[in-house]
Amino acid sequence: MNALLGQAWRCPRSAVLVTRRFRSKPSKPPKKAVTRGSAVNKSFNDLPADEQLRRRLSDRERAQRRTTSSEPALRQRYDEFYDLTRHRLNTLLRDLGQWNPEHREYRAFGLHSQEAFIQEISLFKDALKKSFGLASTLSLTARSDNPLFWNLRAAFIKGDAQGLTKELRYALQTFLMRKNFSKSTTALHLQLADLRFPYEWFPATRQLQRTIHLHVGPTNSGKTYNALKALENAKSGIYAGPLRLLAHEIYTRFIAKGKRCALITGEEQRIPEDADMYFRSCTVEMTPLNWKVDVAVIDEIQMIADEHRGWAWTQAVLGCQAKELHLCGEERVVDLIQELCARLGDKCIVHRYVRLNPLLPMEKAVGDDFKNLQKGDAVIAFSRVNLHALKAGIESATGRKCAIVYGSLPPETRAAQAALFNDPNNDYDFLVASDAIGMGLNLEIKRVVFESAFKFDGSTQRPLTIPEVKQIAGRAGRYRTANDAARSGEEDETSVTSTRSKWGAPGFVTAMDGQDLEHITKHLLKDANPITAAGIMPPSHIIERFAFQFSSDIPLGFVLSRLREMARLSSSFNMCSFGDPLDVAEVIKEFKLSIYDRSVLLTAPVALREEAQKDILRAFAWSIANLSGGHLLEIPEIDLEVLDVDPSALNVVKRKDYLVRLEGLHKAITLYLWLSYRYRGVFISQNLAFHVKTLVEEKITNCLESADFDADKQQKRRELLRRQAQSHTKKEEKLLGEVVEDAPVAESGPGLWEAEGHEDPLYRDEKEVNAALPVRVRRISASPKGVVSQE
């Protein structure tokens, strides 16, 4: 079996020894004479590895004879999972295509003949079969005993069938590369992938003696207010938040107070003119780490554990050069931050807050009759189409106006909508909003109404988690908003006191559906688990060093997967998801780009669930590789013609296609602007792109405002979401059981494959998302896969 698995599965303990006895019956070792003075009874740990494993397997076989009633059912689950894995492998091989001398990927992994291709694929299938045999017959599913099965199972749980296919691809590639991974090569990979000390990545910050103030408490407790007061009183500083709309809110607040402030997000930068010193309000990914300041505020610090974006909070905490660093978030992050501060040598001061007014779940749901809504209610939904449908239904049923707030609205539009809702002297009595308001956006909400307790996370429908419910529900009964500060231009204790007396009543939480209300109420009464590890991602310089150990023909996706697999982490850190970066690496693998350029594109805001967006990414990668063709009007993949369409002449079906095209154009322009700040000499149409972005957002808003509300359809949709989420959970339990072993934090892991978008989706139905109109073709070759030519 050594020839089958080699070094590929030696992580953290080789599976070669586990599977060897199932290939050939081992011969009995010759009996050794016991000499006087020798140790007759050795401890288990002193035995050779082969003997340890033999005894463990014997124990498992003896235990297998005492089968329980649950073991046959578990064995059946693993057999069904094996059938699914074989099907996904066959699909993967069909997509890769048959071997031919010009097949770039097969040549890169050493398959230089048809015979070698057939032999290696057969051996890999045999290894796969034996791995599942260990799981179903001997219940060897632990990571140390059966890492191939463990990796595949973890990938399926996190990413469903799509995640399983990606992990199979990496497993196959690793299997083909096994002869290249000698002991010395593996040792070098382990050394380069040593990520146990990420605080050493920021030597300039380590020279500072920082004081870290940790503000923790529930929503509406004043923690962010006190942190921002410290920032306002400083001479220089940074605010870093999770959302563009929150960064824009703080930017507006500082401008209203007469302070020079810059707004820095991924696709927008507003820098004060003729000013050397100014505050910076930014999204956390854009936190400047090479700028010394007096005070920095990092909001929503509990997101340091997020499997997709947690690395940005970790990077900001470890690298921000601030004399005082204020972190605002939930109580469950205290132990982790104190541990990090002890390692960094920074002083940590914890400030605890209590909620300024109670938060109470209601006994009854609102139901489908919007006349049951009250002034100051905020209805929370999780897609823009649904938000606009709810807005139309509320206004029609009540005869009152309804404001709308979600992440993709232009900042000025969001601010105007929030001001309309917060003003008690108009007829905007209600608000519909996405879960973006749970990330600290301040609105004067009396009662939060959940339209649904389920949301689409990018791959599946799932129920809301405890932190999500508490974050969103906690927006009920807010005391004071940044909008108030912008209107007054200053904050004093008198104004705050008067505002508190105004909001002395409790905040209330309910839902539109009774079953959803049960889920919401249950989560409000529970405490979320403590956060034990911060998320990290390998920085570009480590990716470059690691990639140099492989041939230039090896896809970057495999390099990243290998880095993920070999990474060593301390107990305080977890590896963030490689899902999006691996997808991006696969799309751009054919272009002649440097490792640095590829690393930049790995973090780009790309929505790869749509084929049209893949074509746009290829077009942008072509422009970077050739350092030309970056004018907005020179890129035919960007569907600018949709701006000339008259929506009034479209029927219902075509109007939906029109909305999909607008959304696709908006994503393309957002990516163009993001790249324009990183490749200014290539993507030169930044001003035109901003103009197009404004036009697209206006057209999307106008199109969505014409949405109609149908109570029966909304009820059926909620029931469908509930069934989909339950079906997904039952499918996982049927195949894999309820309990799944977690990865040892300090060891390398299989990676988490799913990719959750940070914007609320326009559509819930994946088929609608994939229905985007085909992009135009100019630089796309006539190949079946539509690859952008590099010539």
Side-chain angles (χ1 to χ4, degrees):
M1 204 58 192
N2 235 342
L4 289 178
L5 297 179
Q7 300 293 324
W9 312 113
R10 299 192 65 183
C11 183
R13 181 161 181 81
S14 175
V16 175
L17 299 176
V18 178
T19 54
R20 181 181 295 155
R21 75 187 300 273
F22 293 96
R23 190 179 186 200
S24 60
K25 186 176 180 179
S27 58
K28 295 182 179 180
K31 294 183 179 180
K32 294 183 179 180
V34 179
T35 58
R36 184 170 303 197
S38 63
V40 177
N41 295 321
K42 293 185 178 181
S43 67
F44 181 81
N45 292 331
D46 293 334
L47 295 174
D50 286 341
E51 179 62 19
Q52 290 184 25
L53 186 60
R54 188 189 66 78
R55 293 191 179 187
R56 291 170 63 190
L57 290 174
S58 298
D59 293 340
R60 292 293 180 96
E61 288 177 338
R62 284 194 295 270
Q64 186 71 17
R65 298 190 188 103
R66 300 188 297 271
T67 58
T68 63
S69 59
S70 62
E71 287 179 345
L74 186 62
R75 192 178 305 121
Q76 182 180 359
R77 290 193 190 110
Y78 291 156
D79 290 341
E80 292 176 352
F81 184 39
Y82 177 56
D83 293 337
L84 173 63
T85 304
R86 284 193 307 168
H87 171 70
R88 301 307 300 181
L89 177 60
N90 293 332
T91 302
L92 171 63
L93 293 174
R94 184 173 65 252
D95 293 341
L96 290 174
Q98 292 296 320
W99 181 90
N100 66 75
E102 303 301 323
H103 199 296
R104 186 173 179 178
E105 183 164 336
Y106 288 154
R107 285 191 292 108
F109 288 99
L111 299 180
H112 299 294
S113 67
Q114 179 75 19
E115 292 75 14
F117 170 78
I118 295 174
Q119 181 182 13
E120 291 295 304
I121 296 300
S122 177
L123 289 175
F124 178 73
K125 289 181 177 180
D126 188 41
L128 195 65
K129 181 179 180 180
K130 293 180 184 299
S131 176
F132 275 85
L134 290 174
S136 62
T137 59
L138 292 180
S139 299
L140 290 175
T141 61
R143 190 165 180 269
S144 57
D145 294 332
N146 196 354
L148 176 55
F149 175 83
W150 192 93
N151 284 359
L152 295 173
R153 181 176 66 171
F156 175 74
I157 290 172
K158 301 305 295 184
D160 209 13
Q162 186 179 8
L164 176 61
T165 302
K166 292 178 181 178
E167 186 66 25
L168 273 172
R169 182 167 191 160
Y170 169 65
L172 175 60
Q173 291 173 339
T174 306
F175 183 81
L176 297 176
M177 288 285 288
R178 66 193 183 281
K179 296 178 182 177
N180 297 334
F181 295 149
S182 62
K183 289 184 178 180
S184 59
T185 301
T186 301
L188 179 59
H189 289 177
L190 286 171
Q191 181 181 354
L192 293 175
D194 190 347
L195 308 179
R196 291 174 295 173
F197 312 105
Y199 31 83
E200 295 180 354
W201 301 342
F202 310 98
T205 308
R206 297 289 74 79
Q207 296 177 9
L208 302 177
Q209 181 60 50
R210 303 185 302 174
T211 300
I212 296 182
H213 294 269
L214 181 57
H215 304 265
V216 295
T219 54
N220 198 17
S221 59
K223 55 184 183 294
T224 306
Y225 167 81
N226 285 280
L228 289 176
K229 289 295 292 182
L231 180 61
E232 291 173 8
N233 295 329
K235 294 181 179 179
S236 61
I238 300 167
Y239 171 83
L243 299 172
R244 291 193 299 272
L245 75 163
L246 195 53
H248 187 273
E249 182 181 356
I250 302 303
Y251 165 79
T252 304
R253 174 178 181 150
F254 274 60
I255 294 298
K257 291 176 177 292
K259 297 180 179 293
R260 291 184 176 273
C261 185
L263 175 66
I264 304 174
T265 66
E267 65 267 8
E268 184 180 11
Q269 296 185 14
R270 303 181 187 180
I271 309 298
E273 297 180 357
D274 303 326
D276 295 330
M277 290 295 294
Y278 49 84
F279 292 88
R280 287 171 166 84
S281 181
C282 54
T283 49
V284 69
E285 286 87 351
M286 302 298 293
T287 305
L289 304 179
N290 56 353
W291 191 48
K292 292 185 179 180
V293 295
D294 294 330
V295 174
V297 175
I298 302 175
D299 211 353
E300 305 297 339
I301 187 60
Q302 70 277 358
M303 287 194 70
I304 198 171
D306 185 80
E307 63 178 326
H308 302 290
R309 300 178 66 200
W311 61 269
W313 275 262
T314 304
Q315 174 182 273
V317 170
L318 300 182
C320 193
Q321 298 186 41
K323 296 177 184 177
E324 286 187 14
L325 183 61
H326 292 258
L327 311 178
C328 306
E330 300 174 11
E331 175 72 29
R332 60 197 181 105
V333 80
V334 170
D335 291 343
L336 174 63
I337 296 300
Q338 288 180 328
E339 180 183 348
L340 292 179
C341 289
R343 294 192 180 194
L344 299 174
D346 293 331
K347 182 180 179 181
C348 183
I349 303 175
V350 181
H351 307 270
R352 288 183 167 87
Y353 302 82
V354 295
R355 187 176 169 88
L356 299 174
N357 63 342
L359 180 66
L360 304 176
M362 303 188 73
E363 296 181 357
K364 292 184 179 181
V366 172
D368 292 326
D369 188 357
F370 289 129
K371 293 181 180 179
N372 294 329
L373 293 177
Q374 305 168 5
K375 182 178 176 62
D377 282 355
V379 181
I380 310 302
F382 304 105
S383 76
R384 276 167 280 181
V385 170
N386 201 29
L387 284 172
H388 282 273
L390 288 168
K391 179 178 184 294
I394 291 172
E395 291 180 341
S396 175
T398 63
R400 307 291 290 176
K401 293 292 184 66
C402 181
I404 184 168
V405 172
Y406 54 87
S408 295
L409 277 177
E412 291 77 13
T413 305
R414 288 194 300 263
Q417 291 288 309
L420 289 171
F421 175 71
N422 288 337
D423 187 355
N425 299 320
N426 60 27
D427 57 352
Y428 280 82
D429 291 352
F430 312 108
L431 171 74
V432 292
S434 70
D435 52 344
I437 69 167
M439 288 296 180
L441 185 65
N442 290 319
L443 293 160
E444 295 184 3
I445 300 170
K446 293 182 180 179
R447 182 173 66 167
V448 167
V449 181
F450 285 86
E451 189 271 336
S452 174
F454 300 86
K455 69 178 292 187
F456 183 71
D457 65 2
S459 58
T460 59
Q461 298 289 349
R462 64 167 178 82
L464 296 175
T465 63
I466 294 176
E468 286 174 334
V469 169
K470 290 191 171 184
Q471 280 287 326
I472 298 171
R475 300 301 139 185
R478 301 293 292 176
Y479 279 107
R480 183 172 174 81
T481 69
N483 183 65
D484 296 330
R487 287 199 300 263
S488 64
E490 61 180 8
E491 270 182 292
D492 54 32
E493 293 301 323
T494 304
S495 63
V496 173
T497 302
S498 63
T499 310
R500 291 185 179 182
S501 63
K502 172 184 176 182
W503 290 100
F508 294 99
V509 183
T510 185
M512 295 186 68
D513 187 275
Q515 294 186 51
D516 290 340
L517 180 57
E518 291 180 9
H519 179 85
I520 298 299
T521 303
K522 209 176 295 183
H523 277 22
L524 284 175
L525 299 177
K526 292 181 179 178
D527 291 327
N529 294 328
I531 294 174
T532 58
I536 62 170
M537 283 287 281
S540 59
H541 70 272
I542 288 182
I543 294 176
E544 290 186 49
R545 289 177 58 194
F546 197 80
F548 286 151
Q549 307 305 314
F550 297 86
S551 167
S552 58
D553 293 332
I554 297 296
L556 181 61
F558 173 77
V559 175
L560 292 174
S561 298
R562 178 69 175 173
L563 175 58
R564 175 210 63 185
E565 186 75 19
M566 304 303 291
R568 288 186 288 174
L569 306 172
S570 74
S571 59
S572 299
F573 300 99
N574 273 338
M575 188 73 78
C576 285
S577 171
F578 271 58
D580 278 347
L582 287 172
D583 291 338
V584 172
E586 180 66 20
V587 172
I588 65 174
K589 66 180 181 181
E590 66 222 60
F591 300 101
K592 295 181 179 178
L593 297 166
S594 66
I595 295 297
Y596 172 79
D597 290 334
R598 293 181 187 275
S599 299
V600 170
L601 289 174
L602 292 180
T603 59
V606 188
L608 293 181
R609 288 192 299 272
E610 301 142 39
E611 192 62 35
Q613 296 302 314
K614 294 181 181 179
D615 291 336
I616 290 170
L617 178 59
R618 293 188 187 101
F620 290 159
W622 183 93
S623 296
I624 295 172
N626 292 274
L627 297 178
S628 63
H631 195 286
L632 190 62
L633 300 179
E634 294 179 352
I635 305 175
E637 289 78 10
I638 299 179
D639 187 16
L640 295 175
E641 282 82 359
V642 70
L643 297 175
D644 298 327
V645 176
D646 181 10
S648 61
L650 303 177
N651 59 29
V652 176
V653 176
K654 291 185 178 180
R655 184 179 288 266
K656 185 178 293 187
D657 292 337
Y658 169 70
L659 190 55
V660 171
R661 291 179 64 187
L662 285 175
E663 176 68 10
L665 177 57
H666 188 271
K667 291 176 181 177
I669 296 298
T670 299
L671 178 57
Y672 184 95
L673 287 170
W674 190 90
L675 291 171
S676 71
Y677 287 107
R678 291 152 180 84
Y679 297 96
R680 293 182 181 271
V682 177
F683 302 100
I684 57 178
S685 307
Q686 189 180 85
N687 292 334
L688 177 60
F690 273 118
H691 177 66
V692 172
K693 185 171 181 283
T694 301
L695 292 177
V696 173
E697 289 168 345
E698 290 176 355
K699 289 182 177 293
I700 289 176
T701 301
N702 293 335
C703 192
L704 290 176
E705 284 179 349
S706 63
D708 296 324
F709 179 81
D710 188 318
D712 291 336
K713 287 184 178 180
Q714 290 294 103
Q715 179 64 29
K716 290 178 181 178
R717 188 189 60 80
R718 285 196 294 269
E719 293 176 357
L720 176 62
L721 294 183
R722 193 177 296 111
R723 287 198 303 269
Q724 288 177 344
Q726 293 171 351
S727 174
H728 180 74
T729 303
K730 289 180 179 178
K731 181 178 67 173
E732 289 184 350
E733 291 179 358
K734 178 181 178 182
L735 290 178
L736 305 173
E738 297 182 7
V739 181
V740 178
E741 174 193 6
D742 290 331
V745 175
E747 301 286 355
S748 58
L752 306 177
W753 292 100
E754 82 196 74
E756 179 181 359
H758 307 310
E759 291 290 344
D760 46 316
L762 179 61
Y763 290 108
R764 290 185 178 277
D765 188 355
E766 191 172 359
K767 294 181 180 178
E768 292 182 356
V769 174
N770 293 330
L773 250 60
V775 298
R776 292 161 290 127
V777 177
R778 188 170 78 188
R779 288 200 307 272
I780 299 182
S781 66
S783 63
K785 293 186 178 181
V787 177
V788 178
S789 172
Q790 300 182 54
E791 302 173 356

